[in-house]
Structures are given as structure tokens and as C-alpha cells.
Amino acid sequence: MAARKSSRKKSSHRKYGKAASKSVESAMRREKRGTLRSGKGGEGGKVTSRKQAIAIGLSEARKKGAKVPMKKAS
């Protein structure tokens, strides 16, 4: 029997840049400390969700111009 080749090509590039991970790391720390706030100007209240903290970190990274994939259309 011959070995099956996978039809998907393996990608060797990073999906997210290093600057993006630093931005997310910073947002996670602020969430843990209780200083991360949601909404424009932090008017939305305190962030308690881990997922929301990651989303805010990625959003901040995008604004800075870091390598982050585009948001999915909802």
C-alpha cells in the first residue's frame, strides 16, 4: 500500500506576528488586574471574559499595524 499524501499544503508562515502576541499578552494582564475596559474610551465597563480580552488585544494590534488576520464577517 502506498502512503497517502495530504491534500493540504503545510504553511510555514506565522498567522499572527510577534507584535500581535505582545499586544494580546498586555491585554490579558490588564484583564487580570481589572483595569481592562471595553467600548470606545472604556465606557463599556470592566472586561471579565478571557475571550473578550484576547479580542481587544488583537484589535489593538490591528490598529498598530501588526500582522493579524482580518476579522471574520458576521
Side-chain angles (χ1 to χ4, degrees), residues 25-55:
E25 194 177 328
S26 165
M28 294 296 286
R29 279 208 183 97
R30 286 182 286 152
E31 184 257 333
K32 270 193 156 183
R33 265 189 264 141
T35 59
L36 184 64
R37 300 181 69 79
S38 67
K40 204 166 186 104
E43 291 177 7
K46 199 184 290 183
V47 171
T48 55
S49 164
R50 186 180 173 86
K51 281 186 178 181
Q52 196 175 1
I54 292 168

Side-chain angles (χ1 to χ4, degrees), residues 1-73:
M1 281 191 210
R4 270 176 82 176
K5 279 189 175 180
S6 69
S7 58
R8 283 185 73 187
K9 184 181 160 190
K10 286 187 180 178
S11 61
S12 61
H13 66 281
R14 284 176 61 104
K15 212 173 201 181
Y16 295 87
K18 286 182 182 178
S21 66
K22 281 189 184 277
S23 206
V24 171
E25 194 177 328
S26 165
M28 294 296 286
R29 279 208 183 97
R30 286 182 286 152
E31 184 257 333
K32 270 193 156 183
R33 265 189 264 141
T35 59
L36 184 64
R37 300 181 69 79
S38 67
K40 204 166 186 104
E43 291 177 7
K46 199 184 290 183
V47 171
T48 55
S49 164
R50 186 180 173 86
K51 281 186 178 181
Q52 196 175 1
I54 292 168
I56 289 169
L58 288 174
S59 178
E60 288 170 356
R62 258 186 214 99
K63 284 176 187 170
K64 288 178 188 172
K67 184 183 173 190
V68 183
M70 292 300 292
K71 281 200 273 188
K72 288 182 183 176

